[in-house]
Amino acid sequence: MLSYEKHRSMLIVRLEGELDHERIGPIRAELDALIRDPQVKHLILDMGGVSFMDSSAIGLVIGRYKALARRGGRVSVERTAPRVDRIFEMAGLYSIVEKRA
């Protein structure tokens, strides 16, 4: 469901499958453990493998944004499928999360 690589202060997390209420708990726990590292200042969520997301995934993004913003960090997303991109737009997430090409 998730894989990652770290480059200095940047953490790139690749998400896959459906991000729904049933699956989000373990993903949240693993992400939280990864961003606890004080060196992580920029979280990039690679959404290329996400086929579906619901409101719990929106909460996941907002929560990680808040955690990193408290220490001057930021969150970006990349490779969003059209359906996922539309959800980000409708939820207003692009006002707090950068969309990378």
Coordinates of all heavy atoms in Angstrom, one line a residue:
M1 N 0.8 -1.2 0.0 CA 0.0 0.0 0.0 C 0.8 1.3 0.0 O 0.4 2.3 -0.5 CB -0.9 0.0 1.2 CG -2.1 -0.8 1.0 SD -3.5 0.1 1.4 CE -4.4 -1.0 2.5
L2 N 2.0 1.2 0.6 CA 2.9 2.4 0.6 C 4.3 2.0 0.6 O 4.7 1.0 1.3 CB 2.5 3.2 1.8 CG 3.5 3.6 2.9 CD1 3.6 5.1 2.9 CD2 2.9 3.2 4.3
S3 N 5.1 2.7 -0.1 CA 6.6 2.5 -0.1 C 7.1 3.9 -0.1 O 6.4 4.9 -0.4 CB 7.0 1.8 -1.4 OG 6.7 2.5 -2.5
Y4 N 8.4 4.0 0.3 CA 9.0 5.4 0.5 C 10.4 5.4 0.2 O 11.1 4.3 0.2 CB 8.7 5.9 1.9 CG 9.4 5.2 3.0 CD1 10.6 5.6 3.4 CD2 8.8 4.1 3.6 CE1 11.3 5.0 4.4 CE2 9.5 3.4 4.6 CZ 10.7 3.9 5.0 OH 11.3 3.2 6.0
E5 N 10.9 6.6 0.0 CA 12.4 6.8 -0.1 C 12.6 8.2 0.5 O 11.8 9.1 0.4 CB 12.9 6.7 -1.5 CG 12.3 7.6 -2.5 CD 12.8 7.3 -3.9 OE1 12.2 6.4 -4.5 OE2 13.7 8.0 -4.3
K6 N 13.8 8.3 1.2 CA 14.1 9.5 1.8 C 15.4 10.1 1.2 O 16.4 9.4 1.0 CB 14.3 9.3 3.3 CG 14.5 10.5 4.1 CD 14.6 10.2 5.6 CE 15.2 11.3 6.3 NZ 15.7 11.0 7.6
H7 N 15.4 11.4 1.0 CA 16.5 12.1 0.4 C 16.7 13.4 1.3 O 16.0 14.3 1.2 CB 16.3 12.5 -1.0 CG 16.0 11.4 -1.9 ND1 17.0 10.6 -2.4 CD2 14.8 10.9 -2.4 CE1 16.4 9.7 -3.2 NE2 15.1 9.8 -3.2
R8 N 17.6 13.3 2.2 CA 17.9 14.4 3.2 C 16.6 14.8 3.9 O 16.0 14.0 4.6 CB 18.6 15.5 2.5 CG 19.9 15.2 2.0 CD 20.7 16.3 1.4 NE 21.9 15.8 0.9 CZ 22.6 16.5 -0.1 NH1 22.1 17.6 -0.6 NH2 23.7 16.0 -0.6
S9 N 16.1 16.0 3.6 CA 14.9 16.5 4.3 C 13.6 16.1 3.6 O 12.5 16.5 4.0 CB 15.0 18.0 4.5 OG 15.0 18.7 3.3
M10 N 13.7 15.4 2.4 CA 12.5 15.1 1.6 C 12.2 13.6 1.7 O 13.0 12.8 1.6 CB 12.9 15.4 0.1 CG 11.7 15.2 -0.8 SD 12.1 15.4 -2.5 CE 13.1 16.9 -2.5
L11 N 10.9 13.4 2.0 CA 10.4 12.0 2.1 C 9.3 11.9 1.0 O 8.4 12.6 0.9 CB 9.7 11.8 3.4 CG 9.0 10.5 3.7 CD1 10.0 9.4 3.7 CD2 8.2 10.5 5.0
I12 N 9.6 10.9 0.1 CA 8.7 10.6 -1.0 C 8.0 9.3 -0.7 O 8.6 8.3 -0.5 CB 9.4 10.5 -2.3 CG1 10.2 11.7 -2.7 CG2 8.4 10.1 -3.5 CD1 11.2 11.6 -3.8
V13 N 6.6 9.4 -0.6 CA 5.8 8.3 -0.2 C 4.9 7.9 -1.4 O 4.1 8.8 -1.9 CB 5.0 8.6 1.0 CG1 4.0 7.4 1.3 CG2 5.9 8.9 2.2
R14 N 5.0 6.7 -1.9 CA 4.2 6.2 -3.0 C 3.0 5.4 -2.4 O 3.2 4.4 -1.7 CB 5.0 5.3 -3.9 CG 5.9 6.1 -4.7 CD 6.8 5.2 -5.6 NE 8.0 5.9 -6.1 CZ 9.1 6.2 -5.4 NH1 9.2 5.8 -4.1 NH2 10.0 6.9 -5.9
L15 N 1.8 5.9 -2.7 CA 0.6 5.3 -2.2 C -0.1 4.5 -3.3 O 0.0 4.9 -4.5 CB -0.4 6.4 -1.7 CG 0.2 7.2 -0.5 CD1 -0.7 8.4 -0.2 CD2 0.3 6.3 0.7
E16 N -0.7 3.4 -3.0 CA -1.3 2.5 -4.0 C -2.6 2.0 -3.5 O -2.9 1.8 -2.3 CB -0.4 1.4 -4.3 CG 0.9 1.8 -5.0 CD 1.7 0.6 -5.4 OE1 1.2 -0.6 -5.4 OE2 2.9 0.8 -5.7
G17 N -3.5 1.8 -4.5 CA -4.8 1.1 -4.2 C -5.8 2.1 -3.8 O -5.8 3.3 -4.2
E18 N -6.8 1.6 -3.0 CA -7.9 2.4 -2.5 C -7.6 3.0 -1.2 O -7.2 2.3 -0.2 CB -9.2 1.6 -2.5 CG -9.6 1.1 -3.8 CD -10.9 0.3 -3.8 OE1 -11.5 0.1 -2.7 OE2 -11.3 -0.1 -4.8
L19 N -7.7 4.3 -1.0 CA -7.5 5.0 0.2 C -8.9 5.3 0.8 O -9.4 6.3 0.6 CB -6.7 6.3 0.1 CG -5.3 6.2 -0.6 CD1 -4.7 7.5 -0.7 CD2 -4.5 5.2 0.2
D20 N -9.4 4.3 1.6 CA -10.7 4.5 2.2 C -10.6 4.2 3.7 O -9.6 4.0 4.2 CB -11.7 3.5 1.5 CG -11.3 2.1 1.6 OD1 -10.5 1.7 2.4 OD2 -11.9 1.3 0.9
H21 N -11.8 4.4 4.3 CA -11.9 4.3 5.7 C -11.2 3.0 6.3 O -10.6 3.0 7.3 CB -13.4 4.4 6.1 CG -13.6 4.1 7.6 ND1 -13.2 5.0 8.5 CD2 -14.2 3.1 8.2 CE1 -13.6 4.6 9.7 NE2 -14.1 3.4 9.6
E22 N -11.4 1.9 5.6 CA -10.9 0.6 6.1 C -9.4 0.5 6.0 O -8.8 -0.2 6.8 CB -11.5 -0.5 5.3 CG -13.0 -0.7 5.5 CD -13.5 -1.9 4.7 OE1 -12.8 -2.7 4.2 OE2 -14.8 -1.9 4.6
R23 N -8.8 1.2 5.1 CA -7.3 1.0 4.8 C -6.5 2.2 5.4 O -5.3 2.1 5.4 CB -7.1 0.9 3.4 CG -7.7 -0.4 2.8 CD -7.4 -0.5 1.3 NE -7.9 -1.7 0.8 CZ -9.1 -1.9 0.3 NH1 -10.0 -0.9 0.2 NH2 -9.5 -3.1 -0.2
I24 N -7.1 3.3 5.7 CA -6.3 4.5 6.0 C -5.6 4.4 7.4 O -4.5 5.0 7.5 CB -7.2 5.7 5.9 CG1 -6.4 6.9 5.5 CG2 -7.9 6.0 7.2 CD1 -6.1 6.9 4.0
G25 N -6.1 3.7 8.4 CA -5.5 3.6 9.7 C -4.0 3.2 9.7 O -3.2 3.9 10.2
P26 N -3.7 2.0 9.1 CA -2.3 1.6 9.0 C -1.4 2.5 8.2 O -0.3 2.8 8.6 CB -2.4 0.2 8.3 CG -3.8 -0.2 8.5 CD -4.6 1.0 8.6
I27 N -2.0 3.1 7.2 CA -1.2 4.1 6.4 C -0.9 5.3 7.2 O 0.2 5.8 7.2 CB -2.0 4.5 5.1 CG1 -2.1 3.2 4.2 CG2 -1.3 5.6 4.4 CD1 -3.1 3.4 3.0
R28 N -1.9 5.8 7.9 CA -1.7 7.0 8.8 C -0.6 6.7 9.8 O 0.3 7.5 10.1 CB -3.0 7.3 9.5 CG -2.9 8.6 10.4 CD -4.2 8.9 11.2 NE -5.2 9.3 10.2 CZ -6.3 8.6 10.0 NH1 -6.6 7.5 10.7 NH2 -7.2 9.0 9.2
A29 N -0.7 5.5 10.5 CA 0.3 5.2 11.5 C 1.7 5.1 10.9 O 2.7 5.6 11.5 CB -0.1 3.8 12.1
E30 N 1.9 4.5 9.7 CA 3.2 4.4 9.1 C 3.7 5.8 8.7 O 4.9 6.1 8.9 CB 3.2 3.5 7.9 CG 4.5 3.1 7.4 CD 4.6 1.9 6.5 OE1 3.6 1.3 6.3 OE2 5.7 1.7 6.0
L31 N 2.8 6.6 8.1 CA 3.2 8.0 7.7 C 3.6 8.8 8.9 O 4.6 9.5 8.9 CB 2.1 8.7 7.0 CG 2.1 8.6 5.5 CD1 0.8 9.3 5.0 CD2 3.3 9.2 4.9
D32 N 2.9 8.7 10.0 CA 3.2 9.4 11.2 C 4.6 9.0 11.8 O 5.3 9.9 12.2 CB 2.1 9.3 12.3 CG 0.9 10.1 12.0 OD1 0.9 11.0 11.1 OD2 -0.2 9.8 12.6
A33 N 4.9 7.7 11.7 CA 6.2 7.3 12.2 C 7.3 7.8 11.3 O 8.3 8.2 11.8 CB 6.2 5.7 12.2
L34 N 7.1 7.9 10.0 CA 8.1 8.4 9.1 C 8.3 9.9 9.3 O 9.5 10.3 9.2 CB 7.7 8.1 7.7 CG 7.7 6.6 7.2 CD1 7.0 6.4 5.9 CD2 9.1 6.1 7.2
I35 N 7.2 10.7 9.5 CA 7.4 12.1 9.5 C 7.8 12.6 11.0 O 8.1 13.7 11.2 CB 6.2 12.9 9.0 CG1 5.0 12.7 9.9 CG2 6.0 12.6 7.6 CD1 3.8 13.6 9.5
R36 N 7.8 11.6 11.9 CA 8.3 12.0 13.2 C 9.8 12.3 13.2 O 10.3 13.0 14.1 CB 8.1 10.8 14.2 CG 7.3 11.2 15.4 CD 7.0 10.0 16.3 NE 5.6 9.7 16.2 CZ 5.2 8.4 15.9 NH1 6.0 7.5 15.7 NH2 3.9 8.2 15.8
D37 N 10.5 11.8 12.2 CA 11.9 12.1 12.0 C 12.0 13.7 11.8 O 11.5 14.2 10.9 CB 12.4 11.4 10.8 CG 13.9 11.7 10.5 OD1 14.5 12.7 11.0 OD2 14.5 11.0 9.6
P38 N 12.7 14.4 12.7 CA 12.8 15.8 12.7 C 13.5 16.3 11.4 O 13.4 17.5 11.1 CB 13.6 16.2 13.9 CG 14.3 15.0 14.4 CD 13.5 13.8 13.9
Q39 N 14.3 15.5 10.7 CA 14.9 15.9 9.5 C 13.9 16.1 8.3 O 14.2 16.8 7.4 CB 16.0 14.9 9.0 CG 17.2 14.9 9.9 CD 18.3 14.0 9.3 OE1 18.0 12.9 8.8 NE2 19.5 14.5 9.3
V40 N 12.8 15.4 8.4 CA 11.8 15.5 7.3 C 11.1 16.8 7.4 O 10.4 17.2 8.3 CB 10.8 14.3 7.4 CG1 9.7 14.5 6.4 CG2 11.4 13.0 7.3
K41 N 11.3 17.6 6.3 CA 10.7 18.9 6.1 C 9.7 19.0 5.0 O 8.9 19.9 4.9 CB 11.7 20.0 6.0 CG 12.7 20.1 7.1 CD 12.0 20.7 8.4 CE 13.0 20.9 9.5 NZ 12.4 21.0 10.7
H42 N 9.8 18.0 4.0 CA 9.0 18.1 2.8 C 8.5 16.6 2.5 O 9.3 15.7 2.3 CB 9.8 18.6 1.6 CG 9.0 18.8 0.4 ND1 9.6 19.0 -0.8 CD2 7.7 18.8 0.2 CE1 8.7 19.2 -1.7 NE2 7.5 19.0 -1.2
L43 N 7.2 16.5 2.6 CA 6.6 15.2 2.3 C 6.0 15.3 0.9 O 5.2 16.2 0.7 CB 5.5 14.9 3.3 CG 4.6 13.7 3.1 CD1 5.4 12.4 3.0 CD2 3.5 13.6 4.1
I44 N 6.4 14.4 0.1 CA 5.8 14.3 -1.3 C 5.0 13.0 -1.4 O 5.5 11.9 -1.2 CB 6.8 14.3 -2.4 CG1 7.7 15.6 -2.3 CG2 6.2 14.2 -3.8 CD1 8.9 15.6 -3.2
L45 N 3.7 13.2 -1.6 CA 2.8 12.0 -1.7 C 2.6 11.7 -3.2 O 2.0 12.5 -4.0 CB 1.4 12.3 -1.1 CG 1.5 12.6 0.4 CD1 0.1 13.0 0.9 CD2 1.9 11.3 1.2
D46 N 3.2 10.6 -3.6 CA 3.0 10.2 -5.0 C 1.7 9.4 -5.1 O 1.6 8.3 -4.6 CB 4.2 9.3 -5.4 CG 4.2 8.8 -6.8 OD1 3.1 8.7 -7.4 OD2 5.3 8.5 -7.4
M47 N 0.7 10.0 -5.8 CA -0.6 9.4 -5.8 C -0.8 8.6 -7.1 O -2.0 8.2 -7.4 CB -1.6 10.5 -5.8 CG -1.5 11.5 -4.6 SD -1.8 10.7 -3.0 CE -3.6 10.8 -3.0
G48 N 0.2 8.3 -7.9 CA 0.1 7.6 -9.1 C -0.6 6.3 -9.1 O -1.2 5.8 -10.0
G49 N -0.5 5.6 -8.0 CA -1.1 4.3 -7.8 C -2.4 4.3 -7.1 O -3.0 3.2 -6.8
V50 N -3.0 5.4 -6.8 CA -4.2 5.5 -6.1 C -5.4 5.5 -7.0 O -5.5 6.3 -7.9 CB -4.3 6.8 -5.2 CG1 -5.6 7.0 -4.6 CG2 -3.2 6.8 -4.2
S51 N -6.2 4.5 -6.8 CA -7.4 4.3 -7.7 C -8.7 4.9 -7.2 O -9.6 5.2 -7.9 CB -7.6 2.8 -8.0 OG -7.8 2.1 -6.8
F52 N -8.7 5.2 -5.8 CA -9.9 5.7 -5.2 C -9.5 6.3 -3.9 O -8.6 5.8 -3.2 CB -10.9 4.6 -4.9 CG -12.1 5.0 -4.1 CD1 -13.1 5.7 -4.6 CD2 -12.1 4.8 -2.7 CE1 -14.2 6.1 -3.9 CE2 -13.2 5.2 -1.9 CZ -14.2 5.8 -2.5
M53 N -10.1 7.4 -3.5 CA -9.9 8.0 -2.2 C -11.2 8.6 -1.7 O -12.0 9.1 -2.5 CB -8.8 9.0 -2.1 CG -9.0 10.3 -2.9 SD -7.6 11.4 -2.9 CE -7.9 12.3 -1.4
D54 N -11.4 8.5 -0.4 CA -12.6 9.1 0.2 C -12.2 10.1 1.2 O -11.1 10.5 1.3 CB -13.5 8.0 0.8 CG -12.9 7.3 2.0 OD1 -11.9 7.7 2.6 OD2 -13.5 6.3 2.5
S55 N -13.2 10.6 2.0 CA -12.9 11.7 3.0 C -11.8 11.3 4.0 O -11.2 12.2 4.5 CB -14.2 12.1 3.7 OG -14.7 11.0 4.4
S56 N -11.7 10.1 4.3 CA -10.6 9.7 5.3 C -9.2 10.0 4.7 O -8.3 10.3 5.5 CB -10.8 8.2 5.8 OG -10.7 7.4 4.7
A57 N -9.1 9.8 3.4 CA -7.8 10.2 2.8 C -7.6 11.7 2.8 O -6.4 12.1 2.9 CB -7.8 9.6 1.4
I58 N -8.6 12.4 2.6 CA -8.5 13.9 2.7 C -8.0 14.3 4.1 O -7.1 15.1 4.3 CB -9.9 14.6 2.4 CG1 -10.2 14.4 0.9 CG2 -9.8 16.1 2.8 CD1 -11.6 14.8 0.6
G59 N -8.6 13.6 5.1 CA -8.1 13.8 6.5 C -6.7 13.4 6.7 O -5.9 14.1 7.4
L60 N -6.3 12.4 6.1 CA -4.9 11.9 6.1 C -3.9 13.0 5.6 O -3.0 13.4 6.3 CB -4.7 10.7 5.3 CG -3.3 10.2 5.2 CD1 -2.9 9.4 6.4 CD2 -3.1 9.3 3.9
V61 N -4.3 13.6 4.5 CA -3.4 14.6 3.9 C -3.4 15.9 4.8 O -2.3 16.4 5.1 CB -3.9 15.0 2.5 CG1 -3.1 16.2 1.9 CG2 -3.8 13.8 1.6
I62 N -4.6 16.3 5.3 CA -4.6 17.5 6.1 C -3.9 17.3 7.4 O -3.1 18.2 7.9 CB -6.1 17.9 6.4 CG1 -6.8 18.3 5.1 CG2 -6.2 18.9 7.5 CD1 -8.3 18.5 5.3
G63 N -4.0 16.1 8.0 CA -3.3 15.8 9.3 C -1.8 15.9 9.1 O -1.0 16.4 9.9
R64 N -1.2 15.3 8.0 CA 0.2 15.3 7.8 C 0.6 16.8 7.4 O 1.7 17.2 7.8 CB 0.6 14.4 6.6 CG 0.6 12.9 6.8 CD 0.3 12.3 8.2 NE -1.2 12.3 8.3 CZ -1.8 12.2 9.5 NH1 -1.2 12.1 10.6 NH2 -3.1 12.3 9.6
Y65 N -0.2 17.5 6.7 CA 0.1 18.9 6.5 C 0.3 19.7 7.8 O 1.2 20.4 8.0 CB -1.0 19.6 5.6 CG -0.9 21.1 5.7 CD1 0.0 21.8 5.0 CD2 -1.8 21.8 6.5 CE1 0.1 23.2 5.1 CE2 -1.8 23.1 6.6 CZ -0.8 23.8 5.9 OH -0.8 25.2 6.0
K66 N -0.7 19.5 8.7 CA -0.6 20.2 10.0 C 0.6 19.8 10.8 O 1.3 20.7 11.4 CB -1.9 19.9 10.8 CG -3.1 20.6 10.3 CD -4.3 20.3 11.1 CE -5.6 21.0 10.7 NZ -6.7 20.7 11.5
A67 N 0.9 18.6 10.8 CA 2.1 18.1 11.6 C 3.4 18.7 11.0 O 4.2 19.1 11.8 CB 2.2 16.6 11.5
L68 N 3.5 18.7 9.7 CA 4.8 19.3 9.1 C 4.8 20.8 9.2 O 5.8 21.4 9.4 CB 4.9 18.8 7.7 CG 5.4 17.3 7.6 CD1 5.4 16.8 6.2 CD2 6.8 17.2 8.2
A69 N 3.6 21.5 9.0 CA 3.6 22.9 9.0 C 4.0 23.5 10.4 O 4.6 24.5 10.5 CB 2.2 23.4 8.7
R70 N 3.7 22.7 11.4 CA 4.0 23.2 12.8 C 5.5 23.4 13.0 O 6.0 24.1 13.8 CB 3.5 22.2 13.8 CG 2.1 22.3 14.2 CD 1.7 21.5 15.4 NE 1.7 20.1 15.2 CZ 0.6 19.4 14.8 NH1 -0.6 20.1 14.6 NH2 0.6 18.2 14.7
R71 N 6.3 22.6 12.2 CA 7.8 22.8 12.2 C 8.4 23.3 11.0 O 9.5 23.1 10.6 CB 8.4 21.5 12.6 CG 8.2 20.3 11.7 CD 8.9 19.1 12.3 NE 9.1 18.1 11.3 CZ 8.7 16.8 11.4 NH1 8.1 16.4 12.4 NH2 9.0 16.0 10.4
G72 N 7.5 24.1 10.2 CA 8.0 24.7 9.0 C 8.1 23.9 7.8 O 8.8 24.3 6.8
G73 N 7.5 22.7 7.8 CA 7.6 21.8 6.6 C 6.4 22.0 5.7 O 5.6 22.9 5.9
R74 N 6.4 21.2 4.7 CA 5.3 21.3 3.7 C 5.0 19.9 3.1 O 5.8 19.0 3.2 CB 5.7 22.3 2.6 CG 6.9 21.9 1.8 CD 7.4 23.0 0.9 NE 8.7 22.6 0.3 CZ 8.9 22.5 -1.0 NH1 7.9 22.8 -1.8 NH2 10.1 22.2 -1.4
V75 N 3.8 19.9 2.4 CA 3.4 18.6 1.8 C 3.1 19.0 0.3 O 2.5 20.0 0.0 CB 2.1 18.1 2.5 CG1 1.6 16.9 1.7 CG2 2.4 17.7 3.9
S76 N 3.4 18.1 -0.6 CA 3.1 18.2 -2.0 C 2.5 16.8 -2.5 O 2.8 15.8 -1.8 CB 4.4 18.4 -2.8 OG 5.0 19.6 -2.4
V77 N 1.8 16.9 -3.6 CA 1.3 15.7 -4.2 C 1.8 15.7 -5.7 O 1.9 16.7 -6.3 CB -0.2 15.5 -4.1 CG1 -0.7 15.3 -2.7 CG2 -0.9 16.7 -4.8
E78 N 1.9 14.5 -6.2 CA 2.3 14.4 -7.6 C 1.6 13.2 -8.2 O 1.2 12.3 -7.5 CB 3.8 14.3 -7.8 CG 4.5 13.1 -7.2 CD 6.0 13.2 -7.3 OE1 6.5 14.2 -7.6 OE2 6.6 12.1 -7.1
R79 N 1.5 13.2 -9.5 CA 0.9 12.1 -10.3 C -0.5 11.7 -9.8 O -0.8 10.6 -9.7 CB 1.9 10.8 -10.2 CG 3.2 11.1 -10.9 CD 4.2 9.9 -11.0 NE 3.9 8.8 -10.2 CZ 3.6 7.6 -10.7 NH1 3.5 7.4 -12.0 NH2 3.4 6.5 -10.0
T80 N -1.3 12.7 -9.6 CA -2.7 12.5 -9.3 C -3.5 12.1 -10.5 O -3.4 12.8 -11.5 CB -3.3 13.7 -8.6 OG1 -3.2 14.8 -9.4 CG2 -2.7 13.9 -7.2
A81 N -4.2 11.0 -10.4 CA -5.1 10.6 -11.5 C -6.2 11.7 -11.6 O -6.5 12.4 -10.6 CB -5.7 9.3 -11.2
P82 N -6.9 11.9 -12.8 CA -7.9 12.9 -12.9 C -9.0 12.8 -11.8 O -9.4 13.8 -11.3 CB -8.5 12.6 -14.3 CG -7.4 12.0 -15.1 CD -6.6 11.2 -14.0
R83 N -9.4 11.6 -11.5 CA -10.5 11.5 -10.4 C -10.0 12.0 -9.1 O -10.7 12.7 -8.3 CB -10.9 10.0 -10.3 CG -12.0 9.8 -9.3 CD -12.3 8.3 -9.2 NE -13.0 7.9 -10.4 CZ -13.0 6.7 -10.9 NH1 -12.3 5.7 -10.2 NH2 -13.6 6.3 -12.0
V84 N -8.8 11.6 -8.7 CA -8.2 12.0 -7.4 C -7.9 13.5 -7.5 O -8.1 14.2 -6.5 CB -6.9 11.2 -7.2 CG1 -6.1 11.7 -6.0 CG2 -7.2 9.7 -7.0
D85 N -7.4 14.0 -8.6 CA -7.1 15.4 -8.7 C -8.4 16.2 -8.5 O -8.4 17.3 -7.8 CB -6.6 15.7 -10.1 CG -6.1 17.1 -10.3 OD1 -5.2 17.6 -9.5 OD2 -6.5 17.8 -11.3
R86 N -9.5 15.8 -9.0 CA -10.8 16.5 -8.9 C -11.2 16.5 -7.4 O -11.7 17.5 -6.9 CB -11.9 15.8 -9.7 CG -13.0 16.7 -9.9 CD -13.9 16.2 -11.0 NE -15.2 15.8 -10.3 CZ -15.9 14.7 -10.6 NH1 -15.6 14.0 -11.6 NH2 -17.0 14.4 -9.9
I87 N -11.0 15.4 -6.7 CA -11.3 15.4 -5.2 C -10.4 16.4 -4.5 O -10.9 17.2 -3.6 CB -11.1 14.0 -4.7 CG1 -12.1 13.0 -5.2 CG2 -11.1 14.0 -3.1 CD1 -11.9 11.6 -5.0
F88 N -9.1 16.5 -4.8 CA -8.2 17.5 -4.2 C -8.7 18.9 -4.5 O -8.7 19.7 -3.6 CB -6.8 17.3 -4.7 CG -5.9 16.4 -3.9 CD1 -6.1 15.0 -4.0 CD2 -5.0 16.9 -3.0 CE1 -5.3 14.2 -3.2 CE2 -4.2 16.1 -2.3 CZ -4.4 14.7 -2.4
E89 N -9.1 19.2 -5.7 CA -9.7 20.5 -6.1 C -10.9 20.8 -5.3 O -11.1 21.9 -4.8 CB -9.9 20.6 -7.6 CG -8.6 20.6 -8.4 CD -8.8 20.7 -9.9 OE1 -10.0 20.6 -10.3 OE2 -7.8 20.7 -10.6
M90 N -11.9 19.9 -5.3 CA -13.2 20.1 -4.7 C -13.0 20.3 -3.2 O -13.8 21.1 -2.6 CB -14.1 18.9 -5.0 CG -14.6 18.9 -6.4 SD -15.5 17.4 -6.9 CE -16.8 17.5 -5.7
A91 N -12.1 19.6 -2.6 CA -11.9 19.7 -1.1 C -11.1 20.9 -0.8 O -10.9 21.2 0.4 CB -11.2 18.4 -0.6
G92 N -10.5 21.6 -1.7 CA -9.7 22.8 -1.5 C -8.3 22.5 -1.0 O -7.6 23.3 -0.4
L93 N -7.9 21.2 -1.2 CA -6.6 20.8 -0.7 C -5.4 21.6 -1.3 O -4.3 21.7 -0.7 CB -6.4 19.3 -0.8 CG -7.2 18.4 0.1 CD1 -7.0 17.0 -0.2 CD2 -6.9 18.7 1.6
Y94 N -5.6 22.0 -2.6 CA -4.5 22.7 -3.2 C -4.2 24.1 -2.6 O -3.3 24.7 -3.0 CB -4.8 22.8 -4.7 CG -4.6 21.4 -5.4 CD1 -5.6 21.0 -6.3 CD2 -3.5 20.6 -5.2 CE1 -5.4 19.7 -6.9 CE2 -3.4 19.4 -5.8 CZ -4.4 18.9 -6.7 OH -4.2 17.7 -7.3
S95 N -5.1 24.5 -1.7 CA -4.7 25.8 -1.0 C -3.7 25.6 0.1 O -3.0 26.5 0.5 CB -6.0 26.4 -0.4 OG -6.5 25.5 0.6
I96 N -3.5 24.3 0.5 CA -2.5 24.0 1.5 C -1.4 23.0 1.0 O -0.3 22.9 1.7 CB -3.1 23.5 2.8 CG1 -3.9 22.2 2.6 CG2 -4.0 24.5 3.4 CD1 -4.3 21.4 3.8
V97 N -1.7 22.3 -0.1 CA -0.8 21.3 -0.6 C -0.4 21.7 -2.0 O -1.2 22.0 -2.8 CB -1.5 19.9 -0.6 CG1 -0.6 18.9 -1.3 CG2 -1.8 19.5 0.9
E98 N 0.9 21.6 -2.3 CA 1.4 22.0 -3.6 C 1.2 20.8 -4.6 O 1.4 19.6 -4.2 CB 2.9 22.3 -3.5 CG 3.6 22.5 -4.9 CD 5.1 22.5 -4.8 OE1 5.6 22.1 -3.7 OE2 5.7 22.8 -5.8
K99 N 0.7 21.1 -5.8 CA 0.6 20.1 -6.8 C 1.8 20.2 -7.7 O 2.1 21.2 -8.3 CB -0.7 20.4 -7.6 CG -0.9 19.4 -8.7 CD -2.1 19.7 -9.5 CE -2.3 18.7 -10.7 NZ -3.5 19.1 -11.4
R100 N 2.6 19.1 -7.7 CA 3.8 19.0 -8.5 C 3.4 18.3 -9.8 O 2.5 17.5 -9.9 CB 4.8 18.2 -7.8 CG 5.3 18.8 -6.5 CD 6.2 17.9 -5.7 NE 7.2 17.1 -6.4 CZ 8.5 17.3 -6.3 NH1 9.0 18.2 -5.5 NH2 9.3 16.6 -7.0
A101 N 4.2 18.7 -10.9 CA 3.9 18.2 -12.2 C 4.2 16.7 -12.3 O 4.9 16.1 -11.5 CB 4.8 18.9 -13.2

